[in-house]
Amino acid sequence: HVKIQVFTTEGALVKTVADEDAAGGIRTWEWSGRGERGETLASGLYLIRIRAPGINETKKTILVN
């Protein structure tokens, strides 16, 4: 199972990019820079949390509109 979520630096969830069972191997998911309702998010720093078997990481990303 793979779960990829985008949060503000304050910890508010803005988008769930993936929450699904995925076969092994290399996969790619893309985030459009939009929130759950399709709204354009403000430029700034966001946190991407990735959870999958053997992976529990949070990475920083910068969104520039």
Side-chain angles (χ1 to χ4, degrees):
H1 192 83
V2 175
K3 192 167 192 175
I4 303 171
Q5 297 172 297
V6 181
F7 295 87
T8 66
T9 55
E10 292 80 27
L13 176 65
V14 295
K15 178 73 175 177
T16 298
V17 177
D19 189 3
E20 60 192 69
D21 291 327
I26 297 173
R27 290 277 315 262
T28 302
W29 286 270
E30 293 184 21
W31 172 46
S32 65
R34 297 188 176 272
E36 291 288 3
R37 297 179 305 269
E39 72 277 17
T40 300
L41 298 173
S43 295
L45 181 66
Y46 291 86
L47 303 174
I48 299 177
R49 184 169 64 192
I50 305 163
R51 290 188 175 169
I55 301 171
N56 185 8
E57 296 184 12
T58 301
K59 302 289 186 177
K60 296 176 188 175
T61 190
I62 296 175
L63 176 63
V64 179
N65 290 332

